Amino acid sequence: MNPALIRSLHDLVGKSGLITDGTRLSTYEFDGLALMGRAPALVVLPGSTAETAGVLKLLSEAGLPVVPRGAGTGLTGGATPVEGGVVVSLSRMRRILELSAEDRLARVEAGLVNIDLSRAAAPFGLFYAPDPSSQQACTIGGNVANNSGGPHCFRYGCTNRHVRGLVFVDPSGDVHDLNHPGLDPAGLDLTGFIIGSEGTLGIVTEVTVQLTPLPEVTETLLAVYRDLDGACATVTEAIARRLEPSALEILDRLTIQAVEASVFKAGYPVEAEAVLLIDVDGTAIEVQERTAALLEVIDDHGGFDVRRATDAKQRRRLWAGRKGAFGAMGRIAPDLYVADAVVPRTKLRELVAYATGVCRERDLKLANVFHAGDGNLHPNICYDRRDADEVRRVLEAGELILTACVEAGGSLSGEHGIGLEKRDAMCTAFGQDDLDVMFAARAAFDPERRFNPGKLLPVRACIELRPQPHPSEPHPGAPSPRRPSPPGPAVDRGFSA
């Protein structure tokens, strides 16, 4: 790394805003997808929008690849460093800049932890609705980058439904204030375009979000089943009857056992094949009527026991088990591959059964825990990445499951994003014409493709879009692997990921 650049960055962000030594750099090697990783050349932690802009100007002049990072809780390798690249982390930018109870809006820095916003809004009878399972650690900026969801997004929607504006720094270091009521340039919805772009267009430094009134009453139910099919059928019928609780989450037996053996123990019955965790919220009458109807549906589909939280403490305990489920998987194996695909809710049972069969054939341990109300599956394959053959079988199973979900009319991601993990699977879901448009849109922001190179879009593009490929790049017409093989390099404009 150029010593002059290091000095300039040091002058800009100070000693606490710069990481250069190998030991500390190693903590940034990967995000929640530990299959693929490498240490960055440098980590910069700006403390404000102005510092972020200054950092990006310097990195632009140096022509270095940049990987934006929030808390590193992502599960698709979106924050995995690239060779010779710089990680720009917003973890120092954690302030709530403004909170208006009257307007039900908050303006926050991108590094603010998700749950901290709801805690700050609670005294005003408000909360921030998108609630990823990692909400105790993930950041608002990271949620924007991946359009994150969560258990209660069945009713309240993912991140994009709650963002009202943002401040964005483009790859050249120019700052764009896209907060409403100001108009986006030329009437374009740039805010909507940036949400879910996974750090490929620049860095979001501030976000203005909508806050939601806390419900008058919340009823939490835990329905217990002898088979997973019954739980899935309950979800399908509940939605068909428009009962629409705020959350519908399914956990299978292996997940239940892992949770109950962990610090997240929630009192789930370990003898059950599946449980369905339900939240019903609204006015007292609404909750009473919907709960009664849901109890009928549960009974019709084999739910043999229903436990109701009697107070807020019990409710928190039940949800702590669900939100701690990914962490509890460490009781099964040292590593976890979390698939994230969406299927039509009428095909939940079919796709869960398919995923189970795929993993059984490959002698893999599969634990299912998913946002059933959204049709958002999370088949969790537990494995040991030190076993090369097991890693191969995990990746093969992941590809088969994702392909089946797409062919069933679903999509590649419900909330985790594409990143490295599903980058090449984009060819399964989109044709080359669609991908060409995506490449063109990305090039409008980042023509040199320095921002998060090798992520989101497959390493394949029409020659018209890339008239002067780097010598190390494959020919645009050359086939690319369907799934990345860890830690194999992916090349985009000469930067390897």
Side-chain angles (χ1 to χ4, degrees):
M1 188 62 66
N2 188 323
L5 174 62
I6 298 289
R7 287 194 297 272
S8 296
L9 290 169
H10 181 276
D11 291 343
L12 182 61
V13 300
K15 183 178 180 180
S16 61
L18 205 58
I19 298 176
T20 58
D21 66 275
T23 301
R24 295 178 66 199
L25 289 174
S26 66
T27 63
Y28 290 83
E29 287 184 354
F30 41 71
D31 56 13
L33 183 69
L35 273 172
M36 311 161 197
R38 58 160 48 91
L42 182 69
V43 175
V44 186
L45 301 96
S48 66
T49 296
E51 286 188 5
T52 304
V55 167
L56 295 193
K57 285 182 186 295
L58 289 170
L59 297 179
S60 175
E61 292 168 0
L64 293 173
V66 175
V67 177
R69 182 183 175 101
T73 58
L75 293 164
T76 65
T80 300
V82 300
E83 185 176 349
V86 177
V87 167
V88 177
S89 169
L90 301 189
S91 59
R92 293 174 64 203
M93 298 175 60
R94 301 188 295 264
R95 295 180 299 161
I96 297 176
L97 303 172
E98 181 182 359
L99 198 160
S100 171
E102 182 178 358
D103 295 324
R104 295 181 184 171
L105 293 175
R107 186 168 61 90
V108 306
E109 290 183 322
L112 180 72
V113 173
N114 178 293
I115 192 65
D116 288 344
L117 179 53
S118 285
R119 288 171 176 159
F124 304 99
L126 302 168
F127 74 112
Y128 180 59
D131 62 334
S133 295
S134 58
Q135 71 177 147
Q136 299 281 349
C138 67
T139 64
I140 299 295
N143 296 165
V144 169
N146 293 290
N147 193 23
S148 301
H152 292 84
C153 290
F154 172 59
R155 176 170 185 178
Y156 295 105
C158 292
T159 298
N160 62 331
R161 281 184 49 183
H162 301 268
V163 175
R164 292 292 171 264
L166 50 81
V167 175
F168 171 76
V169 185
D170 68 26
S172 64
D174 292 330
V175 178
H176 306 272
D177 188 340
L178 304 180
N179 281 294
H180 297 291
L183 295 176
D184 289 335
L188 299 174
D189 180 15
L190 293 181
T191 297
F193 189 74
I194 290 166
I195 297 170
S197 60
E198 301 188 28
T200 61
L201 307 180
I203 296 182
V204 173
T205 58
E206 296 178 17
V207 188
T208 299
V209 299
Q210 169 186 298
L211 300 175
T212 301
L214 288 164
E216 177 184 324
V217 175
T218 299
E219 175 88 70
T220 300
L221 309 174
L222 185 75
V224 186
Y225 294 83
R226 293 186 176 90
D227 58 70
L228 193 57
D229 279 0
C232 292
T234 299
V235 171
T236 301
E237 184 174 343
I239 295 169
R241 289 178 55 176
R242 300 184 180 181
L243 299 178
E244 297 184 0
S246 56
L248 282 162
E249 299 286 305
I250 290 178
L251 297 82
D252 71 0
R253 185 169 189 169
L254 189 56
T255 305
I256 293 167
Q257 291 173 344
V259 168
E260 290 304 300
S262 75
V263 295
F264 306 107
K265 183 175 181 178
Y268 301 154
V270 293
E271 70 277 7
E273 287 298 325
V275 295
L276 176 59
L277 184 58
I278 306 172
D279 258 4
V280 186
D281 63 30
T283 65
I285 292 178
E286 286 175 333
V287 171
Q288 181 180 355
E289 292 177 349
R290 288 181 184 173
T291 300
L294 281 165
L295 291 172
E296 293 178 4
V297 176
I298 291 168
D299 185 64
D300 289 344
H301 292 285
F304 67 90
D305 185 20
V306 178
R307 305 178 183 186
R308 303 171 75 156
T310 57
D311 55 31
K313 182 178 180 180
Q314 283 191 4
R315 179 173 179 268
R316 286 193 297 270
R317 186 185 182 200
L318 288 173
W319 277 106
R322 164 58 187 92
K323 295 200 171 188
F326 288 171
M329 296 301 170
R331 290 278 175 174
I332 303 172
D335 295 294
L336 183 67
Y337 176 93
V338 184
D340 165 50
V342 179
V343 301
R345 286 179 287 255
T346 54
K347 297 184 178 180
L348 274 175
R349 288 186 289 179
E350 175 186 335
L351 269 300
V352 169
Y354 176 80
T356 301
V358 164
C359 290
R360 184 180 295 121
E361 290 171 2
R362 287 156 183 80
D363 194 25
L364 297 171
K365 299 182 182 72
L366 176 69
N368 288 288
V369 50
F370 51 96
H371 306 316
D374 296 309
N376 187 188
L377 299 179
H378 291 327
N380 299 311
I381 306 176
C382 305
Y383 71 101
D384 187 339
R385 61 179 152 148
R386 295 168 296 187
D387 184 335
D389 184 66
E390 189 170 36
V391 169
R392 178 192 61 76
R393 287 180 278 127
V394 167
L395 290 175
E396 183 179 73
E399 178 178 359
L400 289 170
I401 292 168
L402 283 174
T403 300
C405 289
V406 171
E407 291 176 349
S411 63
L412 291 174
S413 176
E415 55 173 342
H416 295 172
I418 302 299
L420 277 174
E421 179 229 345
K422 288 175 283 193
R423 178 198 65 205
D424 296 325
M426 290 282 280
C427 297
T428 302
F430 298 98
Q432 190 60 46
D433 289 345
D434 298 319
L435 294 172
D436 289 348
V437 172
M438 296 180 198
F439 272 106
R442 180 170 177 173
F445 286 80
D446 182 21
E448 297 178 347
R449 296 193 179 82
R450 291 186 305 105
F451 264 64
N452 229 1
K455 315 289 179 62
L456 182 58
L457 296 179
V459 185
R460 186 174 70 182
C462 285
I463 195 166
E464 292 87 353
L465 289 178
R466 305 174 76 180
Q468 295 180 325
H470 188 279
S472 65
E473 290 185 315
H475 185 276
S480 60
R482 292 287 297 278
R483 299 295 302 277
S485 300
V491 183
D492 191 313
R493 297 298 293 173
F495 306 128
S496 57

